[in-house]
Amino acid sequence: MPLIVLAGFGILFVSLSFAVSVGAVSVPLRTVWGVLSNQMGLGLITPDWSSGREAIIWDIRFPRALLAAIVGAGLAVVGASLQAVTRNPLADPHLLGISSGGGFGAILALLHTGLFIGLLTVPLMAFLGALAATAAVLAVARFAGASSADRLVLTGVAVSFVIMAAANLLIFLGDPRAAHTVVFWMLGGLGLAQWSHLIYPLMVLLPCAIWLWSRAADLNAMTIGDETATSLGIPVVAFRRSVFVIGALVTGVMVAFSGMIGFVGLMIPHIVRAIVGGDYARVLPCSAIAGAIFLLWADIIARRVMAPEDMPIGIVTGLIGGVFFVALLRRQI
């Protein structure tokens, strides 16, 4: 396990370096880390680059790469946790409608309510939307008697369609001059990343991920079944509700800063479990690292395919995730 985590951090470091280096203007890796060391006051490398190149690296690419890592880690951890408490290998914030709820909340704030509490308005509304979508999925599943894993996913997809229809209605009723801004949240993107904004998703992700990791034994028990978990003294209903609320919080905030990015929470936990096994004490931290690496490379692809234009990152993850989803369905059958 320590060697796997160490290797993961090594790959993450290389991926982060490469993500900052590539773009419409390629930058040597030596310059990338020279700028970083100088910004941190270390002064390890004598500056031999222009101020414009330093601005590209420090003000644009580093925040974008770090946001990709944070969002990827958050979505992967949420996906792994949801798969445990639902005993559903297909559970994912996107498929269960949580991302759609977060997008609806963000669109409502941007086009209709306005930033009534400043920069925190969009993350707050995205969280409330994600939480409402989670409650709706659980309520519809209970009403329809959709207790099986497959039917829960179908319920989430159905609720997601309804929420997206409502979001499209908000766009239609909103100011046409501002409607183009919500395309970012509909398709996913990291182009609006700023240093001042990174603290918000990080402040949400760290305590939530630590709490989930501290409950790794409970998550392991939930994967076996409710009866086994109850026999071990776990309040199953309350614990499942807590994980859903945590998932809604993390997903809502990630959606607020990156838009709706699908399939990260579906793919990464399966890949990680194939490498480290099913113990959630290992699955959660490794999923966070792998999710960060995956989204960094997805963003690199999004920036390179249509350079100098940025392809929405949600398109890249959707294409990869769709193929993975079909392969997973075939394996489950």
Side-chain angles (χ1 to χ4, degrees), residues 30-201:
R30 177 183 178 276
T31 303
V32 169
W33 291 106
V35 169
L36 178 62
S37 69
N38 284 346
Q39 288 289 340
M40 296 175 64
L42 300 177
L44 300 178
I45 299 177
T46 303
D48 57 358
W49 50 82
S50 66
S51 58
R53 180 158 292 191
E54 180 167 344
I56 291 173
I57 294 171
W58 183 253
D59 296 329
I60 299 175
R61 293 189 184 172
F62 256 119
R64 180 175 181 140
L66 290 175
L67 180 61
I70 293 170
V71 172
L75 295 178
V77 167
V78 170
S81 303
L82 291 176
Q83 288 168 15
V85 298
T86 61
R87 299 190 308 281
N88 184 348
L90 303 179
D92 167 78
H94 192 67
L95 290 178
L96 290 180
I98 302 176
S99 293
S100 300
F104 177 87
I107 292 169
L108 182 63
L110 289 167
L111 295 183
H112 295 278
T113 67
L115 304 182
F116 53 88
I117 56 171
L119 290 177
L120 292 178
T121 306
V122 175
L124 175 62
M125 294 292 286
F127 164 62
L128 293 176
L131 189 61
T134 302
V137 170
L138 295 177
V140 172
R142 189 180 301 112
F143 173 78
S147 57
S148 67
D150 294 339
R151 295 193 69 185
L152 183 62
V153 171
L154 292 176
T155 302
V157 171
V159 171
S160 179
F161 276 123
V162 173
I163 294 174
M164 289 310 301
N168 290 332
L169 179 62
L170 289 180
I171 296 173
F172 177 75
L173 296 175
D175 185 351
R177 293 171 297 180
H180 71 279
T181 62
V182 304
V183 173
F184 169 80
W185 276 269
M186 300 291 285
L187 300 179
L190 304 167
L192 301 182
Q194 299 179 31
W195 282 110
S196 59
H197 293 171
L198 293 180
I199 187 64
Y200 299 113

Side-chain angles (χ1 to χ4, degrees), residues 3-18:
L3 289 178
I4 293 175
V5 172
L6 187 62
F9 275 116
I11 297 172
L12 179 59
F13 177 82
V14 172
S15 302
L16 184 67
S17 303
F18 195 70

Side-chain angles (χ1 to χ4, degrees), residues 247-264:
L249 174 59
V250 174
T251 302
V253 173
M254 299 307 161
V255 167
F257 290 97
S258 68
M260 291 185 289
I261 299 175
F263 293 105
V264 178

